[in-house]
Amino acid sequence: MKKIEEYVRSIPDFPEPGIIFRDVTSILQDADGLKLAIDSMQDCLKDVDVDVIVGAESRGFIFGMPIAYNLHKPFVLVRKKGKLPCDTISREYDLEYGTATIEMHKDSIKPGQKVAIIDDLIATGGTIEAAAKMVEELGGEVVKIVFLMELAGLKGREKLAGYDVSSVICYDGK
């Protein structure tokens, strides 16, 4: 059986020279790779008491939804601003060149619920830090954050220092 790292396609010099792009689509396009990714991420939750799974747009949906389904837990969407139809809360966060805003429905997390946040990749950590703050604003407790891949050179874990963070694959660079 292949290791999960063997399913990741690495593309040098994309989007700019010196960067190695870690492509998640190569995992999704292989049934064994997809199963291994979901199972490996779900394994990070095996000893965690969790009530709700939260996934960040868009690849957090891909990985978070099957985990929620397997664990028989509700799934909550974190979306880009303006994409959710009901009352929302929002949080702005910094990007490399500018800012972005994400939102959640105000009724998606109940006070006291234990929440696991799922996403494909941690780079600088801004998106998931914003998602975690919204969960807390709604009265939830972030008990675990799980990523498939981590780019350790971008130090996103530092932004999430107060949380229990796991990644299945960790790359040293950016």
Side-chain angles (χ1 to χ4, degrees):
M1 180 176 214
K2 288 168 64 172
K3 294 178 4 179
I4 190 68
E5 292 90 336
E6 296 176 66
Y7 291 97
V8 178
R9 179 173 37 201
S10 296
I11 303 162
D13 299 321
F14 182 83
E16 59 186 53
I19 301 293
I20 299 174
F21 185 82
R22 307 299 180 174
D23 186 15
V24 74
T25 64
S26 54
I27 295 171
L28 303 176
Q29 292 169 356
D30 186 292
D32 292 333
L34 178 58
K35 181 173 180 6
L36 183 57
I38 299 296
D39 291 349
S40 299
M41 294 175 81
Q42 187 172 312
D43 240 17
C44 295
L45 296 173
K46 69 180 176 203
D47 296 321
V48 179
D49 181 19
V50 62
D51 300 312
V52 177
I53 304 295
V54 168
E57 187 169 353
S58 65
R59 292 173 305 270
F61 299 173
I62 294 169
F63 295 105
M65 178 57 83
I67 292 170
Y69 177 84
N70 290 339
L71 298 177
H72 194 70
K73 302 295 180 185
F75 184 75
V76 170
L77 306 173
V78 171
R79 300 223 47 203
K80 294 174 184 166
K81 185 176 179 153
K83 300 289 185 181
L84 293 171
C86 298
D87 289 337
T88 61
I89 61 167
S90 64
R91 184 73 82 170
E92 188 175 276
Y93 62 98
D94 291 329
L95 299 170
E96 189 175 358
Y97 302 105
T99 61
T101 303
I102 55 175
E103 297 180 324
M104 300 175 71
H105 280 137
K106 282 184 179 178
D107 63 356
S108 61
I109 303 293
K110 310 294 183 274
Q113 285 186 313
K114 295 176 175 66
V115 176
I117 301 174
I118 307 293
D119 206 0
D120 70 320
L121 177 79
I122 178 174
T124 63
T127 305
I128 297 306
E129 179 189 36
K133 298 297 184 198
M134 287 191 299
V135 166
E136 293 165 349
E137 184 179 332
L138 294 174
E141 176 190 358
V142 177
V143 294
K144 189 77 173 186
I145 300 174
V146 179
F147 300 98
L148 179 62
M149 296 185 282
E150 177 176 354
L151 304 178
L154 294 174
K155 303 184 186 314
R157 222 177 244 266
E158 291 177 9
K159 227 175 227 166
L160 303 175
Y163 301 101
D164 183 0
V165 176
S166 291
S167 57
V168 176
I169 305 168
C170 185
Y171 295 104
D172 290 333
K174 299 178 181 180

